[in-house]
């Protein structure tokens, strides 16, 4: 019973985080890559999903440490003025604050507690920043049907199997919004625990699990405002142990861990944009011929050149 309740609590945490991250406003999600990446994506019907702490942001996952103290302080202030209408609420609040204090004293979240792998997407099909950062200016931008692509990963509220979650949403860059989302999630966690109070065998352990899971979940979608021009929408795969799935590749002199995530069927391709530095008259011809030979219906896929006016 307790393990089932903990599973329900974790689902509640993930659902709250996904709800708070803005869902895609567009019917396309885009992934920037080089020509070899494009060939592999289409051939293998999938993506190489990088370990989060190896991404280009040096504060990936650990950025949340910047805002935790402020949110904890605001939370404690709220406790003094709210949710003390009955003795049960007062006692639960006291326990919640005690455990939150333990989390605050013992954990500076490092992202090492879980295996987190991230696939970075964007809703922008022609971003100069993304062309340079991820496609060398002469790569390709792969556009997928949002609902069809996400549905391939949205199994049982994000649970792909017993120990692997997939959470999906838009990255949040505004600090005030980050603080508000985290604070709201802590309040929702309190409501969940109160509702199931008499089913919980070890209240402190359950609260600790919920608070840490809330921090981890939000850490995936919080980034420094300096990265806002990336307009990132991401899929994150989370597990305690992905040892059998992790592979390695070399990139810029570094050994990079990744997982190879493949779809059972063809990718829901709808749009491919050719990078602004690729002015070859046969680039578009090569893409369309490759798609045709790979079994894709060309009537469903638009192939364009970037409109960014780069000379070099």
């Amino acid at each position: 019973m307790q393990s089932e309740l903990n599973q329900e609590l974790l689902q509640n945490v993930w659902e709250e985080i996904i709800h708070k991250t803005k869902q895609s406003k567009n019917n396309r999600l885009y992934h920037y890559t080089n020509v070899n990446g494009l060939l592999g994506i289409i051939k293998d019907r999938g993506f190489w999903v990088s370990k989060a702490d190896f991404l280009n942001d040096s504060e990936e996952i650990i950025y949340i440490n910047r805002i935790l103290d402020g949110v904890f302080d605001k939370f404690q202030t709220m406790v003094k003025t709210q949710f003390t209408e009955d003795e049960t609420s007062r006692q639960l609040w006291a326990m919640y604050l005690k455990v939150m204090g333990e989390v605050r004293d013992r954990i500076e979240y490092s992202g090492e507690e879980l295996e987190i792998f991230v696939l970075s997407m964007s809703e922008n099909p022609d971003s100069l920043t993304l062309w340079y950062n991820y496609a060398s200016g002469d790569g390709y931008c792969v556009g997928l049907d949002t609902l069809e692509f996400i549905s391939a990963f949205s199994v049982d509220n994000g649970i792909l199997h017993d120990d692997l979650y997939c959470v999906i949403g838009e990255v949040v860059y505004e600090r005030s919004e980050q603080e508000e989302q985290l604070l709201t999630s802590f309040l929702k966690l309190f409501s969940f625990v109160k509702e199931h109070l008499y089913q919980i065998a070890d209240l402190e352990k359950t609260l600790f699990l919920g608070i840490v899971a809330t921090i981890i979940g939000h850490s995936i979608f919080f980034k420094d405002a300096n990265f806002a021009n990336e307009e990132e929408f991401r899929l994150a795969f989370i597990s305690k142990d992905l040892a059998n799935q992790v592979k390695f590749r070399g990139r810029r002199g570094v050994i990079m861990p990744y997982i190879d995530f493949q779809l059972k069927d063809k990718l829901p391709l709808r749009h491919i944009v050719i990078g602004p530095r690729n002015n070859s008259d046969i680039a578009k011809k090569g893409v369309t011929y490759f798609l045709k030979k790979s079994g894709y219906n060309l009537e469903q896929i638009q192939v364009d050149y970037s409109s960014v006016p780069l000379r070099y």
Side-chain angles (χ1 to χ4, degrees):
M1 174 63 74
Q2 183 65 44
S3 62
E4 293 176 359
L5 182 64
N6 288 345
Q7 188 76 11
E8 185 179 349
L9 180 146
L10 290 175
Q11 286 187 39
N12 186 270
V13 168
W14 297 132
E15 289 168 6
E16 171 64 18
I17 291 166
I18 294 168
H19 173 73
K20 285 299 178 183
T21 57
K22 299 173 184 175
Q23 297 303 293
S24 175
K25 302 178 292 293
N26 204 329
N27 60 358
R28 299 284 184 273
L29 285 177
Y30 292 90
H31 181 74
Y32 289 74
T33 187
N34 57 32
V35 65
N36 289 322
L38 174 67
L39 291 169
I41 287 168
I42 294 174
K43 178 183 176 183
D44 299 330
R45 306 187 309 278
F47 296 85
W48 288 359
V49 186
S50 300
K51 196 169 187 298
D53 47 338
F54 282 75
L55 299 176
N56 66 330
D57 179 1
S58 62
E59 289 191 318
E60 187 70 57
I61 303 298
I62 64 172
Y63 164 83
I64 199 169
N65 291 327
R66 286 202 214 170
I67 66 173
L68 279 177
D69 279 348
V71 172
F72 283 162
D73 289 341
K74 288 181 180 179
F75 188 82
Q76 292 187 51
T77 299
M78 293 183 69
V79 171
K80 297 176 182 178
T81 58
Q82 298 183 40
F83 305 103
T84 56
E85 69 279 5
D86 58 70
E87 184 61 25
T88 299
S89 293
R90 287 193 290 272
Q91 291 179 1
L92 181 56
W93 271 120
M95 178 67 74
Y96 201 140
L97 289 181
K98 177 179 180 292
V99 175
M100 184 168 278
E102 293 175 358
V103 173
R104 184 175 187 172
D105 292 339
R106 292 168 53 188
I107 293 181
E108 178 170 308
Y109 181 57
S110 65
E112 296 177 354
E113 290 82 359
L114 291 172
E115 298 268 31
I116 301 174
F117 288 76
V118 170
L119 175 61
S120 296
M121 313 286 285
S122 177
E123 294 174 319
N124 189 335
D126 201 7
S127 163
L128 180 58
T129 297
L130 296 177
W131 282 125
Y132 268 116
N133 287 350
Y134 302 104
S136 304
D138 60 355
Y140 294 80
C141 181
V142 181
L144 305 166
D145 181 277
T146 300
L147 293 179
E148 287 190 40
F149 185 60
I150 287 179
S151 67
F153 301 98
S154 300
V155 180
D156 295 333
N157 294 321
I159 304 175
L160 297 181
H161 58 66
D162 290 342
D163 192 36
L164 179 63
Y165 286 83
C166 177
V167 288
I168 301 167
E170 191 174 41
V171 172
V172 179
Y173 302 97
E174 177 61 43
R175 180 156 180 163
S176 61
E177 186 177 354
Q178 294 167 349
E179 292 177 350
E180 181 62 28
Q181 287 190 13
L182 190 53
L183 184 61
T184 300
S185 290
F186 284 143
L187 293 170
K188 291 279 188 179
L189 174 62
F190 172 82
S191 297
F192 176 88
V193 172
K194 183 180 179 182
E195 181 181 345
H196 298 83
L197 188 59
Y198 297 105
Q199 300 172 252
I200 299 173
D202 189 333
L203 181 57
E204 288 196 33
K205 185 175 181 180
T206 298
L207 285 171
F208 193 91
L209 171 68
I211 293 169
V212 172
T214 299
I215 294 171
I216 292 172
H218 280 292
S219 73
I220 295 168
F221 295 103
F222 288 178
K223 294 188 70 170
D224 186 283
N226 287 305
F227 287 91
N229 59 359
E230 291 191 348
E231 306 171 72
E232 188 177 358
F233 192 99
R234 56 177 38 179
L235 287 77
F237 301 91
I238 309 163
S239 177
K240 289 184 179 179
D241 184 13
L242 287 171
N244 295 328
Q245 298 183 48
V246 177
K247 300 179 181 180
F248 299 89
R249 63 189 175 100
R251 184 171 183 264
R252 296 177 181 174
V254 175
I255 296 175
M256 305 283 289
Y258 71 97
I259 56 175
D260 190 359
F261 221 94
Q262 297 179 330
L263 275 67
K264 294 180 180 179
D265 301 313
K266 290 186 179 68
L267 293 168
L269 288 173
R270 297 294 181 267
H271 193 192
I272 292 182
V273 184
I274 301 168
R277 290 177 55 196
N278 187 348
N279 297 314
S280 172
D281 59 347
I282 60 172
K284 186 173 182 178
K285 183 177 180 180
V287 169
T288 53
Y289 187 68
F290 176 55
L291 291 173
K292 180 180 178 180
K293 289 300 182 181
S294 299
Y296 284 90
N297 182 354
L298 297 182
E299 293 182 0
Q300 296 180 339
I301 305 172
Q302 179 181 351
V303 181
D304 294 316
Y305 284 96
S306 167
S307 62
V308 177
L310 277 184
R311 180 174 289 119
Y312 54 85

